[in-house]
Amino acid sequence: MVFDVLTIFPHLLDSYLEDSILWREQKKKIIKIRFHDIRAYSKDKHKKVDDTPYGGGAGMVMTPQPIFDCMKAAKRKNRRAPVIYLTPTGKLFDYKMAKRLAKKPGLILLCGRYEGIDERIRKLCVDEEISIGNYVLTGGELPAMVIIDAITRLLPGALGDERSAHEDSFTEALNGKKEYPHYTKPREFQGLKVPPILLTGDHAKINAWRKKKLK
Ligand code: SAM
């Protein structure tokens, strides 16, 4: 799956990507992430990408021309990918949405900055608007990465042990619930013991216990 990320900070996430599981998935060619520098497309002689809002008010707004031209270039490379604008006013991102988007051949993710983008870009280019939570961040880069990460976990072959994605919180395997507690070695830590049932080897009883512990 190919992700094209449109941003004015194309290197912001370099170190995160190099050190995360997403790097391995890129090497395995399960995903490809391309960053497009919106500023590089600005026709302004100072490469400006923002301006004051019509009607007045605080803050700057991202101008439409650089985004529009950058989008055209991204679309040429990722023709069947829907365009998603990350915005706090969008639909709240969740597991169901990640599953639906994981079926797409690719995604074009538009990251805003400042007060956001000129409304005409929404009308001309955007297919869907997504929020990662009811709070305001300074830019769309982290939301884009959250979406890429959540989707990548769901792609076939992406995780070493595929069971772990299928039995994660919110999945059908857990009836949409949040998962049970995990324990590993040692058997006792700081006076806290592993629940004895997990040491019995009785898988029917262990499964029943885990089911009871789902939240
Ligand atoms: N003025 C906007 C508002 O009140 O909705 C907030 C703009 S925010 C400072 C700048 C950019 O960060 C947005 O254009 C968007 O791309 C991104 N952003 C901020 N919070 C977000 C969230 N919760 N989900 C998705 N994107 C977000």
Side-chain angles (χ1 to χ4, degrees):
M1 184 164 184
V2 180
F3 298 96
D4 282 286
V5 182
L6 278 58
T7 165
I8 58 167
F9 295 114
H11 298 293
L12 193 68
L13 298 160
D14 283 358
S15 71
Y16 175 76
L17 279 171
E18 275 165 29
D19 283 334
S20 79
I21 191 174
L22 295 177
W23 181 249
R24 201 189 67 199
E25 309 317 341
Q26 287 206 82
K27 277 177 104 182
K28 285 199 298 189
K29 302 214 182 333
I30 288 169
I31 58 164
K32 188 173 195 174
I33 308 175
R34 294 186 291 230
F35 289 94
H36 301 260
D37 183 2
I38 294 173
R39 195 179 296 280
Y41 291 83
S42 174
K43 289 183 176 148
D44 177 82
K45 63 173 187 276
H46 303 295
K47 293 280 172 202
K48 247 173 78 148
V49 290
D50 61 313
D51 216 322
T52 51
Y54 277 123
M60 301 295 269
V61 176
M62 290 180 80
T63 52
Q65 176 275 315
I67 301 178
F68 190 76
D69 289 348
C70 184
M71 186 69 75
K72 263 205 305 211
K75 274 184 158 275
R76 267 199 300 273
K77 291 181 153 187
N78 207 346
R79 286 183 191 281
R80 293 189 302 130
V83 174
I84 292 171
Y85 174 47
L86 289 318
T87 166
T89 61
K91 198 162 172 243
L92 218 50
F93 186 64
D94 63 6
Y95 173 74
K96 240 172 92 185
M97 203 187 278
K99 268 200 94 175
R100 174 173 62 78
L101 294 175
K103 295 191 183 113
K104 306 277 182 199
L107 292 180
I108 297 177
L109 299 162
L110 172 59
C111 308
R113 281 269 155 180
Y114 316 116
E115 287 308 316
I117 59 172
D118 186 288
E119 187 65 18
R120 288 161 293 187
I121 286 294
R122 284 172 131 133
K123 296 205 166 113
L124 290 167
C125 312
V126 173
D127 298 307
E128 213 171 312
E129 302 196 357
I130 297 179
S131 163
I132 62 156
N134 291 333
Y135 41 78
V136 177
L137 300 164
T138 47
E141 292 76 12
L142 289 175
M145 207 41 56
V146 165
I147 286 170
I148 292 173
D149 193 308
I151 289 175
T152 301
R153 290 178 61 78
L154 303 175
L155 297 177
L159 296 180
D161 177 2
E162 293 218 22
R163 268 185 62 228
S164 53
H166 293 140
E167 294 182 4
D168 270 341
S169 300
F170 314 114
T171 56
E172 294 78 359
L174 301 193
N175 263 331
K177 291 191 171 174
K178 297 180 206 163
E179 75 170 1
Y180 47 79
H182 296 290
Y183 290 89
T184 183
K185 277 93 185 166
R187 282 187 182 205
E188 189 173 333
F189 182 71
Q190 298 279 315
L192 296 176
K193 289 186 178 146
V194 172
I197 185 115
L198 297 178
L199 307 173
T200 60
D202 184 335
H203 289 292
K205 277 192 183 151
I206 292 171
N207 283 342
W209 179 86
R210 285 178 167 166
K211 219 166 157 181
K212 228 168 59 195
K213 294 285 178 185
L214 294 177
K215 290 175 208 133

